[in-house]
Amino acid sequence: DQQVKQNSPSLSVQEGRISILNCDYTNSMFDYFLWYKKYPAEGPTFLISISSIKDKNEDGRFTVFLNKSAKHLSLHIVPSQPGDSAVYFCAAIIYTGNQFYFGTGTSLTVIP
Amino acid sequence: DGGITQSPKYLFRKEGQNVTLSCEQNLNHDAMYWYRQDPGQGLRLIYYSQIVNDFQKGDIAEGYSVSREKKESFPLTVTSAQKNPTAFYLCASRALTGGYTEAFFGQGTRLTVV
């Protein structure tokens, strides 16, 4: 059973606009959430994270929002750039569990 | 430079043969993980280890085996019992101290069984 879900397999956005990637989870015990970016035939690279005690975390053009009541998190990229084109995975972990659970990924295309 | 090294990047094997994928890290991380990526299925956990000489099965451990004889190394063997071994394999490591920490990934090994 998929505990972390990304329901949009793909997303296309114009350069300079906002990209919003969404992620839903089912396990209320998750207390740390991460976003990874992945290019084809490469390993994922860490982008940004948020703990369950926060509802927002920013790092430059990237902001992650967490809505615990809805079990939903989103990644906002503003402004979007062509180099942002990649597959984005969200992940969740229970601090004491040490096992990450990944979504199926969303392929973002930023159109110049 | 600190990081995780997976080798080889591409691997071809005949059906029925066991094959071992290498994963080495010099980040002094306690935990190491093996994931498998298939199209449209995200990353699925095969095995993970939090300490030397100890490891736990993930969601899809059948047909795979691992060892953790050194902190830096976590090799994965894909055995002939794995029914569909062709996939992209990713190794990761993570520090278990210092609060919430992210996993760092290697560059992956593409295994093709013919």
Side-chain angles (χ1 to χ4, degrees), chain A residues 2 31-32 34 36 38 41-46 51-52 87 89 93 95-105, chain B residues 9-10 33 35 37 40-43 45 48 50 58-59 88 90 94 96 98-108:
Chain A
Q2 193 82 19
D31 53 9
Y32 188 49
L34 310 92
Y36 283 85
K38 185 182 181 301
E42 294 185 8
T45 55
F46 170 72
S51 71
S52 59
V87 176
F89 290 96
I93 189 170
Y95 181 69
T96 55
N98 290 315
Q99 179 177 349
F100 289 93
Y101 293 85
F102 283 85
T104 52
Chain B
K9 191 166 176 64
Y10 299 96
Y33 306 82
Y35 288 90
Q37 186 190 11
Q41 295 201 48
L43 277 63
L45 182 65
Y48 67 102
Q50 299 178 53
D59 299 322
F88 189 57
L90 287 160
R94 175 175 177 246
L96 295 181
Y100 293 110
T101 57
E102 69 270 22
F104 291 81
F105 283 85
Q107 290 298 294

Side-chain angles (χ1 to χ4, degrees), chain A residues 73-85:
Chain A
L73 66 155
S74 60
L75 174 68
H76 292 209
I77 306 173
V78 184
S80 300
Q81 299 173 354
D84 296 330
S85 297

Side-chain angles (χ1 to χ4, degrees), chain A residues 44-59:
Chain A
T45 55
F46 170 72
L47 204 54
I48 192 169
S49 63
I50 188 167
S51 71
S52 59
I53 62 172
K54 296 185 176 181
D55 54 19
K56 177 182 175 181
N57 188 29
E58 280 184 88
D59 185 0

Side-chain angles (χ1 to χ4, degrees), chain B residues 42-99:
Chain B
L43 277 63
R44 293 184 292 166
L45 182 65
I46 305 172
Y47 270 98
Y48 67 102
S49 168
Q50 299 178 53
I51 196 169
V52 173
N53 292 323
D54 187 48
F55 43 83
Q56 288 77 43
K57 292 182 179 180
D59 299 322
I60 56 166
E62 185 175 349
Y64 299 97
S65 65
V66 293
S67 63
R68 188 90 185 273
E69 297 177 1
K70 300 185 299 181
K71 187 177 184 179
E72 304 78 20
S73 179
F74 192 41
L76 173 74
T77 297
V78 184
T79 75
S80 57
Q82 168 49 233
K83 297 189 187 325
N84 186 17
T86 294
F88 189 57
Y89 290 88
L90 287 160
C91 179
S93 71
R94 175 175 177 246
L96 295 181
T97 56

Side-chain angles (χ1 to χ4, degrees), chain A residues 6-10 87-90 102-107, chain B residues 41-42:
Chain A
Q6 294 176 257
N7 292 318
S8 297
S10 62
V87 176
Y88 290 79
F89 290 96
C90 66
F102 283 85
T104 52
T106 296
S107 178
Chain B
Q41 295 201 48

Side-chain angles (χ1 to χ4, degrees), chain A residues 4-11 19-25 35 64-65 71-76 88-91 103-107:
Chain A
V4 178
K5 300 178 183 179
Q6 294 176 257
N7 292 318
S8 297
S10 62
L11 175 68
S19 295
I20 300 177
L21 295 92
N22 294 303
C23 180
D24 296 296
Y25 60 96
W35 283 95
V64 56
F65 296 91
K71 294 190 181 69
H72 177 84
L73 66 155
S74 60
L75 174 68
H76 292 209
Y88 290 79
F89 290 96
C90 66
T104 52
T106 296
S107 178

